[in-house]
Amino acid sequence: SQQGEEDPQALSIQEGENATMNCSYKTSINNLQWYRQNSGRGLVHLILIRSNEREKHSGRLRVTLDTSKKSSSLLITASRAADTASYFCATTAGAQKLVFGQGTRLTINP
Amino acid sequence: SQTIHQWPATLVQPVGSPLSLECTVEGTSNPNLYWYRQAAGRGLQLLFYSVGIGQISSEVPQNLSASRPQDRQFILSSKKLLLSDSGFYLCAWTPGGLTEAFFGQGTRLTVV
């Protein structure tokens, strides 16, 4: 079963705007990760936030985690056309399995 | 440095034929290994994962099986493919523990 569920399913914005994607999950987690997938390719890891962290930054990426609401958000600032991709959250809990959500398809219009 | 190899990149197979997809990891030992399937425009469905040689955990009942004959080799198999087995199959590994995963480039399987 899917642990993480992203929202929205699809997002289209203009280049230079900020993009925000959300992820909700159901059970307690050890950490939450965000990945990016270009069409027809494998996934690339973007950022990992541990359950005892609330916010993390990496370049133009900002991730927040609210364990009380079982939710996370990924913010991409100053978006570029090259950011067009699908973005997935993934959670690990207990057993060493990594479970992904359905993803958000992000389109950056030039 | 660690690398992951997954092949073939694309595969067209008739219904009822067998399947064998192979994934190997280099530059690390005792990785956790994963097989995922992704339907078009959808998320990743975890099929199998393995924390050691011969140790396979199956996530969903299906027409597929997995094996780990060597530490850094993970194989996805089927004796008889179904149309519903079509999809994009991704292999991934983690260094053990709860850290980031590294993905292969995927195999696009079309069952005809």
Side-chain angles (χ1 to χ4, degrees), chain A residues 2 30-31 33 35 37 40-43 45 48 50 88 92 94-103 105, chain B residues 32 34 36 38 41-46 49 51 59 88 90 94 96-101 103-105 108:
Chain A
Q2 297 299 324
N30 296 300
N31 64 51
Q33 304 176 42
Y35 289 78
Q37 183 184 33
R41 306 298 299 274
L43 278 72
H45 180 264
L48 180 153
R50 302 191 188 283
F88 296 88
T92 53
Q96 298 191 38
K97 63 181 182 180
L98 189 59
V99 179
F100 286 80
Q102 292 299 307
R105 293 186 302 280
Chain B
N32 289 351
Y34 305 83
Y36 293 90
Q38 185 177 32
R42 303 297 303 278
L44 277 69
Q45 180 185 35
L46 179 61
Y49 70 99
V51 299
E59 286 298 295
F88 190 51
L90 288 156
T94 65
L98 306 171
T99 60
E100 68 178 279
F103 279 81
Q105 289 303 299
R108 186 161 305 283

Side-chain angles (χ1 to χ4, degrees), chain A residues 4-67:
Chain A
E5 295 295 335
E6 287 88 344
D7 162 54
Q9 292 187 347
L11 179 62
S12 181
I13 61 174
Q14 294 301 119
E15 194 168 18
E17 294 179 340
N18 296 340
T20 300
M21 290 159 272
N22 303 295
C23 168
S24 61
Y25 56 92
K26 298 176 182 176
T27 64
S28 296
I29 61 171
N30 296 300
N31 64 51
L32 186 143
Q33 304 176 42
W34 285 91
Y35 289 78
R36 166 195 169 121
Q37 183 184 33
N38 287 83
S39 180
R41 306 298 299 274
L43 278 72
V44 175
H45 180 264
L46 295 176
I47 196 165
L48 180 153
I49 186 166
R50 302 191 188 283
S51 60
N52 62 353
E53 298 176 308
R54 293 296 169 260
E55 188 171 313
K56 203 162 184 180
H57 297 255
S58 177
R60 293 185 295 114
L61 304 180
R62 173 178 170 250
V63 169
T64 63
L65 179 63
D66 187 334
T67 53

